[in-house]
Amino acid sequence: MNFIIKSNFITSESKNSLKTYENHYLVCENGVISGVFRALPEQYKNLDIIDYKDKIIISGMTDLHIHAPQYAFRGLGMDLELIDWLNTYTFPEESKYNDLEYAEKAYNSFVKALKNSSSTRACIFATVHNDATAMLMDMLDKSGLITLVGKVNMNRNCPESLCEKDTYIDNTKSWLESVSGLKNCKPILTPRFTPSCTDYLMQILGEIRNNLPVQTHLSENLSEIEWVKSLCPEAENYADTYYRANLMGNNSIFAHCVYCTPKEIELLKQTKSYIAHCPQSNMNLASGIAPVRYYLDNDLNIGLGTDIAGGANISMFRAITDAIGMSKLYMRLIDESAKPLSFAEGFYLATVGSGSFFGKVGKLEKGYAFDALVLDDSELDNINKLKLTDRLERISYYLEDRAIYAKYVNGIKI
Amino acid sequence: MNFIIKSNFITSESKNSLKTYENHYLVCENGVISGVFRALPEQYKNLDIIDYKDKIIISGMTDLHIHAPQYAFRGLGMDLELIDWLNTYTFPEESKYNDLEYAEKAYNSFVKALKNSSSTRACIFATVHNDATAMLMDMLDKSGLITLVGKVNMNRNCPESLCEKDTYIDNTKSWLESVSGLKNCKPILTPRFTPSCTDYLMQILGEIRNNLPVQTHLSENLSEIEWVKSLCPEAENYADTYYRANLMGNNSIFAHCVYCTPKEIELLKQTKSYIAHCPQSNMNLASGIAPVRYYLDNDLNIGLGTDIAGGANISMFRAITDAIGMSKLYMRLIDESAKPLSFAEGFYLATVGSGSFFGKVGKLEKGYAFDALVLDDSELDNINKLKLTDRLERISYYLEDRAIYAKYVNGIKI
């Protein structure tokens, strides 16, 4: 369980700076980092050393927002905006997960992909189906990845096959019970989003919450926002539909937050809620561009999500470069004063920004969980000698997950 | 030289529709397609059949805008806008191509990458250096790809090491002479862009042009456009700085065209000049978003470019999905009436749109050059049975160039 890794390390140091350790020793004890050292301290001399030589080791990344059942149609049906996209592609696909045979095939494929991806942790939407969700959680638990999975709740504005009507309380309770024995995969309450959840459903979830984490969507698309206004005329704003049900807080994730008003942003900040920024999805579904510079500079909790299948790619490297690219268009087209994200900031969002939802996760630093990716960029015939951070930037833009040579979660190689 | 390929074929049928041929026969004679048939006509019964079974064959794609010497720093230095980016990263790198040993190493790497990419044809910027450019052209000629390569001209606002001063006429003539014997790789006149080319330089190029193709940049970035105004106060607009030197026409390519005025658009259309739309570069350098929907609907000649290293990726599949994504943000953020590109339209741009610059190139149809990519998507465990066009869309978003199994140019497997 305790070991030493020798190699090159890159970690987020602060929100906008990277720290590199060339040819150093990282000591891992019981899944936690004891330190990164230039010369190995005497006390560790007896531990085994794994030498990854000229590879690069970075912290594992956390995908704050991904839909497992949508993996089966990733990269398809990119021609609609959110609400039509949900009705045309998403809901019919999610309905299939009532069939456990289908669910097994599809979830196997998803879990394999996630295991091979740059994510070491993830917050995952399943479907409304208890059995398929429990099956997914079982698979994920065995994968070694650390995950939070939500059986989705929805009881309005959705097809019959996905509508929980009066069953959502019992369903949710029995699902929570059925998955209570897992180690790496834990439940997260998942009201899909206000348009498909009645006030009463949300209120009940808030009541049975008992400190369970929560994930949902907020302010992704203009028609969605208008719809919420008409569905909940008495709510102060979209965020308030969650807040008044006791669903905000520092263990709640709100995906997107593209058009949040100043009041909603204040609510997110006050409650220390997490924002899952999903740049590729926001482009693919023509949602818009979230004000990430503002969120970052004003110390809101924010990380990145791939949002499969709104996003077509499962790679968190791609999420980083998409976030940077979108922030440039935000500056050019929306607010010239909003400085684009630097590479260090994009990397921060994917590692510490997202990872902190799970505690001390996302840095290669004493006391942090040893979640790591060992990256091999030898297939790039780099003509010029590159700094470690340049090699990482090039991997992020060019090789993405193909650079992954090995992966550790909580100190265990998976 | 004459053969038959049996497989599934997808081709652009019109600007906004794809045509599929399931399990058909494509006959290639002397590099040109004789037809695609459900049942093989009697007259071809003696030709060899290559059976690619359940793979997918599409037309090869043409990269209308790429900088060979910038491949060595792709995916790096993504933190600046155009002019600062040129001065900080690009010009110092391009200066190295005075050293033939460096050029050989770097261009070898580039040619290998291009050969393995989804491009079967490309229009390429080299540097100002005659010898290195001739070397690059020699390598490309041997690669089997069909390419146009430009020795760059620049004589102002650039570092000493890249500035041609009074030598550009002789340099250009002797370069043209030195590369006249090549078969697959031909020269294209390449004044870098107005800021680095005096009126007189452009005028001379126009005079020695003699129907040679031309490539340059137009209206990429706001500061660049302002700069051109101050450099050429007597020009009607940026496009006019090329037009009045006789550098526009249906064998001229103008990269970017992000902010063209109605008058410039009219000039592009009238002269049948080509626009190379480079979506990823326009994002990475925070340039903006080109009005592709307008260009396409108004029948301007337009294709796609990767613009390495403004773009970090050499894949034309990525250029397609980036173009689609950017068109969605254009609709959302700039002009709500501009319908986003469909997948068929993105595919059209990369195949027929770009390819037509080379003649009958970009379709799998009788009389077209047989440029093709054989795509293998078997690594995708597609849970649901997919239509051929869905498989192609998923390859474009997910596998990109990794799906390439074989590549044909002018009927020759390379």
Side-chain angles (χ1 to χ4, degrees), chain B residues 16 290-299 302 327 330 335 337-342 345:
Chain B
N16 53 22
V292 178
R293 164 59 59 208
Y294 186 88
Y295 295 149
L296 202 59
D297 285 359
N298 288 277
D299 293 320
I302 174 168
S327 75
Y330 188 91
D335 175 5
S337 74
K339 203 171 161 231
L341 298 181
S342 66
E345 289 173 321

Side-chain angles (χ1 to χ4, degrees), chain B residues 269-289:
Chain B
K269 185 169 176 171
Q270 236 177 58
T271 58
K272 300 190 168 62
S273 295
Y274 275 71
I275 296 165
H277 174 46
C278 306
Q280 194 186 136
S281 168
N282 296 160
M283 178 184 263
N284 285 336
L285 299 181
S287 301
I289 310 180

Side-chain angles (χ1 to χ4, degrees), chain A residues 269-283:
Chain A
K269 185 169 176 171
Q270 235 178 58
T271 57
K272 299 190 168 65
S273 295
Y274 274 71
I275 296 165
H277 174 46
C278 306
Q280 194 185 138
S281 168
N282 296 159
M283 176 184 264

Side-chain angles (χ1 to χ4, degrees), chain A residues 72 78 286 328 332 394 402, chain B residues 72 78 286 328 332 394 402:
Chain A
M78 288 296 181
K328 290 173 179 169
R332 175 90 304 126
R394 175 166 286 172
R402 303 190 291 290
Chain B
M78 288 296 182
K328 290 172 178 170
R332 176 88 308 126
R394 176 167 285 173
R402 302 190 291 290

